[in-house]
Amino acid sequence: MKIRIAASCAVLWVATVPLHAQQADPSAGVPSAVAAAEAPWTLEACIEYAQQNNTEVQQRALQVESSGIELSTARYSRLPDLNASVGGDASFGRALTSDNTYRDNNQTSGSLNISASMPLFQGMRINHQIAAGKLNLAAAVQDLERIREDVAINVMTLYLQVLYAKEMVGISERQVELSTLQVANSRALAAEGKQPESTVYESEALAANDRMSLTQARNDLQLALLDLSQALNRESAAGFDIVSPALDSVALESFRATSSAGAIYDYAVENRPHIKAEQLRLQSSERNVDIARSALYPSLMLSGGYGTGVYSADDSKFWVQMRHNSREYVGLSLGIPIFNRRASRNSIRTAQIAVRNQQLVLTAAELALRKEIEQAWYNADAAYAKYRAAASALTSAEIAFRYEQEKAAAGRSTVYDFSNAKTAMEKAQAEAAQAKYEFIFRSKILDYYHGKPLAL
């Protein structure tokens, strides 16, 4: 079974191909729903566990943390800085003395300085940096939410693959039961002389082929469980199983979309994390223009400090020298930009280009979202029609097989006719199962765009 779907600007394939996912500590973030190691996992529990242990999610979380630190740095840049220095030196020959004259002697001296400065005005640069930092942090949070949703979609895809594999095992088991009964019936008819001995061997060959198909179906199920277990970053797939929800016709009818593609898009364009992230980045790029423009304004700084020193040539005591040689100062400095080889002007132009580029990125994301939703809506509608047709075809195939089974029991049907009817029913069962899970998958993709939880 393969299902191709475009979701979150990506193409997801469902296939029995092993996932080369990195392993993580399975004990980290185990949800309460799966606290028992051997208990079957629900879809919700799988999604919760994967979101907590997926390495991409953890990397995005670190980016959120990094953006928070950058915002903190911008906020604290309003405060004054405070620096202190202590120095000492030894001089030989002519040296500076405490009375600020030079004399021929050898001496040692020490100094202590404390200074502070605080920006009073920088063209509103700090305010714009804080605003941009808030927007970047919000965008990082949306990126984290998007990767969490992508993980949920991937887990749901693999979960449905396991359910499909389980159903194929059930179909294969029923085929083995039917072929085994046919072998017994052929032996009885052959013993009564109603059928030739060759029909027994033909029936046994059919049963052997069904047992081989059952073995392959069970192997496919194990591979599907392994794929899902690896996607959860579990250490081992041993003992891993999932809950098989009741998916009758009533439940399946409830999955059918009731909203139009336009209504789903209207919701998605306002609420999808990747769209909101691009909108926030657009606002941040506009703030970057203001940051670049602040370089054109004068800057005003307030500074102050304290300094003192001691000299070995001075006969005064240490603390007396510290007090007498001290110096305090407070000052204001105004920097006026006049000409810096058009560097500031070019920085503004570069920031404005970045704004226009981000506008195009946002427009492209919105167009891609509309295309994805429209395709998903039509695919879901087509999958529903396919599911209904497959269910109808299965009903007809089962009725035809029952008639052929009655004929075979009475000895009025050949093994070839019986095999054809059974094969047709088996094919209809497989197609109905595939159509059912394809319909469920595509319906849940629409739920994803509409902001509904992924649940069965």
Side-chain angles (χ1 to χ4, degrees), residues 228-251:
L228 178 57
S229 177
Q230 290 178 340
L232 302 182
N233 277 354
R234 297 177 77 250
E235 184 176 353
S236 172
F240 177 68
D241 199 7
I242 65 171
V243 174
S244 298
L247 298 173
D248 54 19
S249 58
V250 177

Side-chain angles (χ1 to χ4, degrees), residues 209-285:
N209 185 70
D210 287 342
R211 287 193 294 271
M212 182 178 65
S213 298
L214 174 59
T215 300
Q216 182 61 48
R218 287 172 173 168
N219 184 62
D220 290 342
L221 173 57
Q222 291 302 315
L223 290 176
L225 284 168
L226 177 62
D227 286 346
L228 178 57
S229 177
Q230 290 178 340
L232 302 182
N233 277 354
R234 297 177 77 250
E235 184 176 353
S236 172
F240 177 68
D241 199 7
I242 65 171
V243 174
S244 298
L247 298 173
D248 54 19
S249 58
V250 177
L252 292 175
E253 286 292 336
S254 67
F255 291 156
R256 191 178 183 189
T258 56
S259 301
S260 65
I264 296 175
Y265 172 78
D266 291 339
Y267 174 87
V269 77
E270 296 295 333
N271 295 277
R272 288 266 51 84
H274 71 286
I275 297 296
K276 294 173 72 174
E278 299 303 341
Q279 292 171 343
L280 290 166
R281 290 192 179 95
L282 175 59
Q283 297 175 40
S284 177
S285 63

Side-chain angles (χ1 to χ4, degrees), residues 1 164 167-168 171 390 394 424-437:
M1 171 188 172
Y164 171 75
E167 191 151 334
M168 292 304 296
I171 291 172
L394 174 59
M425 184 182 68
E426 182 181 8
K427 180 181 178 182
Q429 289 173 335
E431 290 178 347
Q434 181 174 3
K436 178 175 71 173
Y437 286 107

Side-chain angles (χ1 to χ4, degrees), residues 34-57:
V34 294
E38 298 300 325
W41 292 52
T42 64
L43 175 59
E44 294 83 352
C46 289
I47 291 175
E48 180 185 349
Y49 186 92
Q51 289 176 338
Q52 292 176 357
N53 293 274
N54 183 270
T55 54
E56 291 186 40
V57 172

Side-chain angles (χ1 to χ4, degrees), residues 77-83 115-122 299-305 329-335:
S77 64
R78 295 178 182 274
L79 302 179
D81 58 1
L82 182 62
N83 301 283
S115 62
S117 63
M118 183 176 68
L120 298 180
F121 180 75
Q122 291 184 321
S299 60
L300 182 62
M301 296 286 293
L302 172 65
S303 60
Y329 70 91
V330 176
L332 287 172
S333 62
L334 178 65

Side-chain angles (χ1 to χ4, degrees), residues 150-164:
D150 288 348
V151 168
I153 286 289
N154 184 51
V155 169
M156 183 198 69
T157 302
L158 296 173
Y159 195 95
L160 291 177
Q161 179 67 25
V162 174
L163 292 179
Y164 171 75

Side-chain angles (χ1 to χ4, degrees), residues 43 82 94 147 161 192 195 214 240 274 287 306 321 349 407 436:
L43 175 59
L82 182 62
R94 295 181 63 80
I147 196 65
Q161 179 67 25
E192 296 174 1
Q195 283 188 348
L214 174 59
F240 177 68
H274 71 286
R287 286 290 184 174
Y306 168 84
Q321 288 192 61
R349 293 171 61 190
K407 290 170 62 179
K436 178 175 71 173

